[in-house]
Amino acid sequence: MGNIRIVVRATMRTTSKHYEWSDFLRKQFWIILLISISVFIVGCAESNGESTDPDQKISTQNEEEISVEGHKIILVGTPNFNGEGPSMNMDQEISDSTRIVKVEDVMGTAKKIEKPLDKVNGAPDVFFTITKSGGTKQDTLEERRFIWYQEDGSAVLLADGSGEYYSINSSQAKELKEALNK
């Protein structure tokens, strides 16, 4: 009968260790599950555009477009209308964000007008494009404009593609000319 007691006691010790190990694994499972859910939630919060960095610089909407959506570039050129058809000599690239914002601000305040037949005679003085470069091979063209500077200092802009004409006053034209260096 002594041998049976030893066997029974040994079995009970093994069984209690099994329950202890099982409890340990259950606790580990719940801990790992909670950590995984927390990481998932934090990852989702960061991916929807919300910033968790308290030191992040607060900027204007135009600066956000430049830094978040991609870097904008303005290409400036002179239109040539020769016997072979129209062509553009793109001789300047502007990547300075303050100049780009200034150009966009002037375009945003321009007044839409009917086609001014008397003010758009001849070749335009300047042609420019605003392109958003996302760091890929294909950039996104946002704006294409022709500019005719007038004798009174104002200017007429033609939005290439839509065929819509816009007018800006002399102070706006001066700002645009300075920003484009043309």
Side-chain angles (χ1 to χ4, degrees):
M1 197 167 183
N3 289 339
I4 295 175
R5 285 185 195 172
I6 295 173
V7 172
V8 171
R9 286 184 185 158
T11 306
M12 290 183 80
R13 285 185 188 153
T14 308
T15 307
S16 73
K17 284 183 182 179
H18 176 71
Y19 285 121
E20 289 175 14
W21 181 250
S22 177
D23 282 344
F24 175 75
L25 288 177
R26 263 191 224 126
K27 289 177 186 176
Q28 290 296 325
F29 170 77
W30 287 110
I31 290 171
I32 291 171
L33 181 66
L34 289 173
I35 290 172
S36 299
I37 290 172
S38 300
V39 169
F40 179 75
I41 291 171
V42 169
C44 289
E46 287 181 3
S47 68
N48 70 1
E50 296 175 6
S51 175
T52 57
D53 184 8
D55 297 330
Q56 184 178 11
K57 177 187 163 195
I58 298 173
S59 60
T60 64
Q61 180 181 1
N62 287 335
E63 288 173 344
E64 265 182 22
E65 286 178 7
I66 292 168
S67 62
V68 175
E69 294 180 7
H71 181 70
K72 291 187 179 182
I73 299 170
I74 296 180
L75 298 175
V76 184
T78 308
N80 295 319
F81 291 93
N82 54 26
E84 298 172 10
S87 64
M88 304 296 162
N89 291 334
M90 304 308 273
D91 52 11
Q92 185 180 7
E93 182 177 307
I94 300 170
S95 58
D96 178 26
S97 63
T98 56
R99 290 172 63 188
I100 293 170
V101 168
K102 187 181 281 190
V103 170
E104 289 177 327
D105 287 346
V106 169
M107 288 185 346
T109 59
K111 295 182 211 169
K112 188 174 177 182
I113 59 172
E114 294 294 320
K115 182 178 180 178
L117 297 174
D118 58 333
K119 295 185 178 187
V120 292
N121 292 334
D125 298 307
V126 178
F127 174 76
F128 71 92
T129 64
I130 299 177
T131 305
K132 184 172 30 175
S133 175
T136 62
K137 290 183 179 181
Q138 291 185 339
D139 294 337
T140 306
L141 184 65
E142 291 189 348
E143 299 283 339
R144 295 169 47 111
R145 300 286 167 118
F146 291 96
I147 304 172
W148 286 268
Y149 292 113
Q150 305 299 306
E151 290 179 16
D152 65 355
S154 66
V156 174
L157 288 79
L158 168 63
D160 190 30
S162 69
E164 296 175 338
Y165 287 86
Y166 297 87
S167 174
I168 56 175
N169 62 35
S170 59
S171 66
Q172 292 169 318
K174 183 179 177 185
E175 282 183 49
L176 186 61
K177 202 180 256 191
E178 289 172 358
L180 296 175
N181 284 337
K182 288 280 186 181

